[in-house]
Amino acid sequence: MSCCGACDPHAELYRLRRSTLLHAGGYGIYPRLIEPKWIAGMLAEAMAGGQRLDQVASGNDTEDIRGGHPARQIACVEGGPKQDELFGSVALQSFVANEVKLPIRSCGMRASYSIYAGPQAHLDIHRDVPGCDLALITCLYDSNPLAGEGAVDLWLDDLTTPLREIRANVERRRSRLALLPGDSLLIHGGMIPHRIPPPGTDRLRVVSLMCFEIVA
């Protein structure tokens, strides 16, 4: 089982020590993991769904390990039948399990969509909540995918570093990845600190977010 929010990150690192994805750097980008018809179907589902603004002001997050209340401004959409079918599919579950070489299960019954629109849209530094050991983030749409702002920042050398230390010096050891439309990022989000920086003025990015728990 995953640890609680106040767990020892060294114990979590030991629990996940056999993950081949963790040994390979903690993440992978897969350009054609999900077929274009699924990308199109999920994008339509995300844009047609009821959007809920998830907004937290900066300065409210004191969590050092996992979860917490990172500053953010995101339009969230609950998953629908199209995403449900993919999230629960044997093929996708098998792919994720094979990447870590450990047993996994879906975190929750449904996944979700996140819409980042405008210069204030972002999700600040965090590790994912307990239970979400692995996050599969798929870019469904980006109106300016080659913009210099990128799509996600990772702190790959800070698996056990308290989040407050990273917040105090965000440029230290930061890696920035671009996630192009159709790309999927599988990340050990419960171990690797990460954030989604503001996409830039008039830029729109829509992603599918699926979480999985490692049963180890």
Side-chain angles (χ1 to χ4, degrees):
M1 293 292 292
S2 292
C3 66
C4 67
C7 71
D8 179 0
H10 296 278
E12 272 294 86
L13 192 58
Y14 181 79
R15 181 177 73 90
L16 303 175
R17 68 193 181 281
R18 294 188 299 274
S19 167
T20 51
L21 183 66
L22 196 60
H23 285 288
Y27 76 94
I29 295 181
Y30 311 88
R32 288 173 292 276
L33 174 63
I34 298 176
E35 296 179 10
K37 66 178 182 180
W38 284 99
I39 298 290
M42 289 194 295
L43 177 60
E45 191 169 74
M47 301 308 292
Q51 297 183 17
R52 174 183 60 84
L53 181 62
D54 185 4
Q55 190 169 16
V56 175
S58 61
N60 293 318
D61 194 15
T62 59
E63 176 57 51
D64 259 350
I65 308 300
R66 295 182 71 168
H69 302 281
R72 56 191 179 269
Q73 181 172 305
I74 315 165
C76 299
V77 180
E78 183 178 342
K82 194 72 175 177
Q83 191 186 51
D84 290 347
E85 186 177 351
L86 183 62
F87 187 40
S89 68
V90 173
L92 186 64
Q93 299 262 338
S94 297
F95 167 80
V96 174
N98 186 64
E99 288 303 294
V100 295
K101 298 298 191 294
L102 289 168
I104 61 98
R105 62 187 172 202
S106 300
C107 181
M109 298 298 295
R110 291 199 115 167
S112 63
Y113 300 107
S114 295
I115 300 174
Y116 296 84
Q120 302 304 316
H122 73 292
L123 175 59
D124 210 353
I125 299 167
H126 66 289
R127 294 185 184 95
D128 292 332
V129 297
C132 185
D133 294 323
L134 298 161
L136 182 66
I137 305 169
T138 300
C139 182
L140 306 178
Y141 177 81
D142 193 327
S143 61
N144 191 6
L146 298 180
E149 290 84 357
V152 59
D153 289 339
L154 309 176
W155 283 265
L156 300 169
D157 297 323
D158 289 291
L159 301 185
T160 60
T161 304
L163 292 175
R164 66 178 181 275
E165 295 184 18
I166 302 173
R167 296 186 196 105
N169 187 2
V170 296
E171 296 304 319
R172 183 190 69 169
R173 299 195 293 266
R174 174 181 62 82
S175 299
R176 178 158 288 184
L177 302 177
L179 196 64
L180 302 179
D183 286 358
S184 294
L185 168 67
L186 182 64
I187 174 178
H188 265 283
M191 290 299 309
I192 297 174
H194 55 287
R195 72 176 179 185
I196 309 297
T201 304
D202 299 326
R203 186 175 176 186
L204 173 66
R205 182 188 298 129
V206 183
V207 301
S208 163
L209 175 61
M210 301 178 182
C211 288
F212 302 88
E213 181 178 13
I214 292 176
V215 188

